[in-house]
Amino acid sequence: MDDAHSRTRRINLSKGNGKHNIAMIGAGYVGLVSGVGFAYHGNRVTIVDVLEDKVEKINKGASPFYEPGLDDLVNKLVNGNKLRATTDLDKAVHDAEFIFICVGTPMSDDGAINLDYIRSSARSIGNALKGTKDYKVIVAKSTIVPSTTEKVIVPAVEKASGKIAGRDFGVCMNPEFLAEGDALKGALEPDRIVIGALDNKSGDALEGLYAPFKCPKLRVDLRAAEMIKYASNSFLATKISFSNEVANICEKYGVDVYQVMDGVGLDFRINPRFLRAGVGFGGSCFPKDVSALAHAAEDAGVTPAILKAVLEINDRQPYRAVELVEGVLRSLKGKRIAILGLSFKPDTDDIRFTRALPIIEALTGKGAISVAYDPKGMPNFKALTKGKKLNIEYANSAREALDGADAAIIQNEWSEFKKLTAMDFKRMRTPVVIDGRRILDGISLEKAGVTYRGIGWKGNKETILKRLK
Ligand code: UDX
Ligand code: UDX
């Protein structure tokens, strides 16, 4: 968080040399943050959303969700007349040269992609295009399974507008690679831009819009662009599940998986990133995208063996933290367990697919009381769990959550959790820490009288001996 903050503080509002009118349909992470990126480079950006409160908030110069540095930048861009929001999709489409589709593509109950919002926004864009004369480029930015742009978006726009793709309007697919908590960097200085295009005219126009962005740009066809996003996310998720599987093996052999992955990551063909073992991956992308690709594979008659294993390992991984706490406390009935971290990762208030939920559900099932704290994620987590029967209390700080607890589980790595010391853990009824993200120094904590366990942790001599017996 500190890094992200200091970086965004250094960002001055660029005059930029972009000069295009852009409409972003959807004011979620993808639409707002990418829109901010275009506005920062000098373009005039209109964010469209069906939710009036989101629109009002943006027009007041604030972000509807938490992301380091975003409020400040939205404020400057709104005041500089580069960014505005509206619920009026028709007018935004009329005025725009580029229309980006950034609506959500959630997971259906069966794990496949739900394209309802994509269909309805394509239809609305088509309706708005009726009666316009200018050539405009429609760009799919939402994550969509291969062939969706051609088979769903293009026909819906053509039907509603009476126009022909390629002749009357351009079509591109341009995936986003923003990582929450560090999203501004991804929007202002992306490490790559992938442009999938229906034809050269569409692709050239979009490449022109991206001219001020200095990074490698890859021109491909529409389906390859769609697939690049899924293959990227699935590969990163695979690295994580692989590390988690190795971690579980390491624990049995008294080996520290973090030492192992330090060694593995030194191989430049592998690289050190996304090898951090823990309680698994959450968030708005990895779980849903790996699942959507696995479904798309099966629909096409391909057995997605790796993708299935990645999801299976990830589903099991949060329970490893519960097993570790049970290993120390034995029965969890009536025990108070501090849960440090509710958002799916630090520096965000996003709780989508957070590993905190399966952990708290499992603890509830075992009769324990979870005492939860997160610097930003508590309101969203409360909304997520409304109506669910969970034994959960909320604390106002990490220290308050630890007061009188029988054990603590670290679920995400906010910087304030990294600063916790043995003194803090001594506030607990029994100082037992289960480090689900391996952010603390287990050896020093154990020396100071705290019982420490971590995912893929080698353990002290005593625990290794016990394990090997
Ligand atoms: C999501 C997915 O996580 C990502 O994989 C996909 O590429 C794009 O959508 P995010 O931007 O975080 O990313 O989604 P979400 O927070 O759901 O935002 C979508 C926005 O679109 C919401 O504000 C919603 O109100 C708005 N919307 C949705 C519309 O304006 N019109 C619609 O028809 C549907
Ligand atoms: C991800 C991709 O990184 C991004 O490129 C894409 O556009 C959207 O999906 P995001 O979900 O915001 O971004 O976060 P990310 O940092 O990738 O983390 C995802 C999850 O994986 C988190 O729950 C995180 O805790 C977990 N993770 C990440 C690990 O468990 N180990 C790691 O080594 C890295």
Side-chain angles (χ1 to χ4, degrees), residues 83-313:
L83 184 74
R84 55 184 284 276
T86 180
T87 54
D88 188 347
L89 183 140
D90 276 10
K91 180 157 179 2
V93 169
H94 266 263
D95 294 344
E97 297 150 72
F98 295 91
I99 301 135
F100 284 82
I101 301 179
C102 308
V103 296
T105 47
M107 194 183 329
S108 307
D109 290 342
D110 66 354
I113 189 169
N114 175 341
L115 292 172
D116 289 352
Y117 299 137
I118 292 286
R119 267 190 211 96
S120 62
S121 53
R123 227 177 290 130
S124 308
I125 293 167
N127 279 326
L129 282 185
K130 258 192 286 187
T132 59
K133 289 207 174 57
D134 303 335
Y135 175 86
K136 298 170 190 291
V137 183
I138 298 172
V139 188
K141 212 174 210 342
S142 301
T143 303
I144 42 182
V145 289
S147 80
T148 304
T149 307
E150 285 156 278
K151 289 193 173 162
V152 176
I153 296 178
V154 168
V157 176
E158 284 184 334
K159 189 165 176 220
S161 65
K163 292 179 185 282
I164 309 269
R167 188 189 74 186
D168 305 323
F169 62 92
V171 180
C172 287
M173 200 286 148
N174 170 225
E176 52 75 27
F177 302 103
L178 308 172
E180 293 183 21
D182 202 13
L184 284 186
K185 188 182 174 298
L188 308 184
E189 301 157 8
D191 55 6
R192 70 196 190 287
I193 291 167
V194 172
I195 297 175
L198 178 73
D199 52 19
N200 281 338
K201 189 176 174 188
S202 315
D204 290 350
L206 188 59
E207 199 172 337
L209 174 64
Y210 276 117
F213 294 72
K214 303 295 171 217
C215 66
K217 289 161 197 161
L218 183 69
R219 290 277 291 265
V220 293
D221 61 35
L222 292 169
R223 291 182 190 200
E226 291 165 332
M227 194 56 151
I228 285 170
K229 174 64 188 273
Y230 279 100
S232 297
N233 273 357
S234 298
F235 186 70
L236 292 171
T238 303
K239 284 183 93 173
I240 299 169
S241 277
F242 175 80
S243 304
N244 283 331
E245 184 158 282
V246 173
N248 297 340
I249 304 169
C250 281
E251 277 179 40
K252 299 288 178 199
Y253 282 91
V255 177
D256 184 341
V257 74
Y258 275 66
Q259 284 183 9
V260 172
M261 289 308 170
D262 279 350
V264 171
L266 282 176
D267 185 330
F268 77 95
R269 295 169 303 177
I270 297 175
N271 103 28
R273 308 193 68 185
F274 281 72
L275 293 177
R276 283 181 284 116
V279 287
F281 56 78
S284 70
C285 289
F286 288 173
K288 118 178 136 55
D289 292 350
V290 180
S291 169
L293 185 58
H295 261 77
E298 279 180 335
D299 285 350
V302 176
T303 305
I306 291 180
L307 301 179
K308 277 187 175 170
V310 167
L311 291 171
E312 203 184 301
I313 293 168

Side-chain angles (χ1 to χ4, degrees), residues 26-30 49-51 54 103-104 117 142-143 284 288 352:
Y29 250 93
V30 177
D49 205 288
V50 288
L51 301 175
K54 280 195 175 183
V103 296
Y117 299 137
S142 301
T143 303
S284 70
K288 118 178 136 55
R352 288 180 279 184

